[in-house]
Amino acid sequence: MSIVAIALLALLGMSLGSFINVLIDRLPAGSSLLFPASHCDSCRRRLSGLDLVPVLSFLALRGRCRYCGAPISRRVFLVEAAAGLLFVLAYLSYGPTTDFAIIAFYGLLFLVIAVIDLEHRLILNKIVYPTVPAALALDLFLTRPGLVSGLAGAAAGLVLLLIILLVSRGGMGMGDVKLAALMGAATGFPAVFVALLLGIVLGGLTAAFLVLFGIRK
């Protein structure tokens, strides 16, 4: 695969990452995804095309608004870069196939969920509810897991996390239970157990990092 092709894939992923930042900002607030147009949160100035080039604009502006100099959240840069990396890794793993498109979709989807959860401690129903049936529909086009395995994975994830929720008496929320169902629909049975274990480990490592550096209590 040529460097040019990799660069184009990364650019596509980063462009989608820019839209993901819009979702992360506006879905928790219940705001329109289309209006108002992208603007600086400090001076409210509408951003031009030069201000919205994924990753490059952030670097060129040194993380500050062109008009008022207010700092731009580093999350904007990190999400765009992560989306570009996800696209490239998915393509290198699956090539120009349907599996690549679906895996890239899941990567971006869980990136949205993870960042909103990190910033707001919410797993939004408006994201999970439509994507569970969408994941089951996509199972029809994947070699794995397939629809039957996806249904079994969704049920297993839902039941397992529901039991943990009841036993822990508030140690987690219903959002985690619904997310486990989505993970099961995406990965199938029995891979859902591996996915949940990895999610718990990565979540624990992330939490330890945030506490260690004083970002969260």
Side-chain angles (χ1 to χ4, degrees):
M1 187 177 184
S2 68
I3 295 178
V4 174
I6 292 176
L8 290 174
L9 275 172
L11 180 60
L12 176 59
M14 290 187 295
S15 299
L16 292 172
S18 183
F19 178 65
I20 283 175
N21 274 314
V22 174
L23 297 179
I24 293 169
D25 285 331
R26 301 192 182 190
L27 284 178
S31 304
S32 168
L33 300 181
L34 301 177
F35 303 102
S38 296
H39 57 276
C40 172
D41 291 333
S42 296
C43 66
R44 314 304 294 179
R45 179 79 174 265
R46 181 171 179 172
L47 303 180
S48 70
L50 290 176
D51 302 318
L52 297 172
V53 179
V55 173
L56 297 180
S57 289
F58 185 94
L59 295 175
L61 296 172
R62 298 183 179 180
R64 292 189 173 274
C65 172
R66 180 192 304 276
Y67 309 103
C68 69
I72 302 170
S73 171
R74 285 177 292 179
R75 184 256 286 165
V76 172
F77 169 80
L78 293 174
V79 167
E80 290 174 350
L85 180 61
L86 282 169
F87 247 64
V88 171
L89 292 177
Y91 190 88
L92 292 177
S93 298
Y94 295 95
T97 62
T98 303
D99 284 7
F100 154 68
I102 294 175
I103 294 301
F105 164 75
Y106 280 137
L108 298 179
L109 170 64
F110 285 109
L111 182 59
V112 173
I113 294 172
V115 177
I116 290 177
D117 188 23
L118 184 62
E119 292 188 351
H120 300 279
R121 299 182 183 180
L122 294 172
I123 298 175
L124 301 176
N125 290 335
K126 65 179 71 175
I127 296 177
V128 176
Y129 282 162
T131 51
V132 169
L136 293 174
L138 290 175
D139 288 340
L140 296 171
F141 300 96
L142 283 169
T143 306
R144 294 186 303 272
L147 181 58
V148 174
S149 180
L151 285 167
L158 180 70
V159 171
L160 177 60
L161 266 290
L162 184 58
I163 292 173
I164 295 175
L165 171 65
L166 296 175
V167 171
S168 65
R169 297 181 181 180
M172 64 174 65
M174 275 301 297
D176 299 293
V177 177
K178 299 166 190 173
L179 179 60
L182 173 58
M183 292 172 66
T187 58
F189 185 90
V192 60
F193 298 119
V194 178
L196 289 172
L197 177 61
L198 288 174
I200 292 169
V201 171
L202 290 174
L205 291 174
T206 302
F209 174 84
L210 295 175
V211 171
L212 182 63
F213 288 92
I215 300 173
R216 289 286 177 86
K217 295 182 180 180

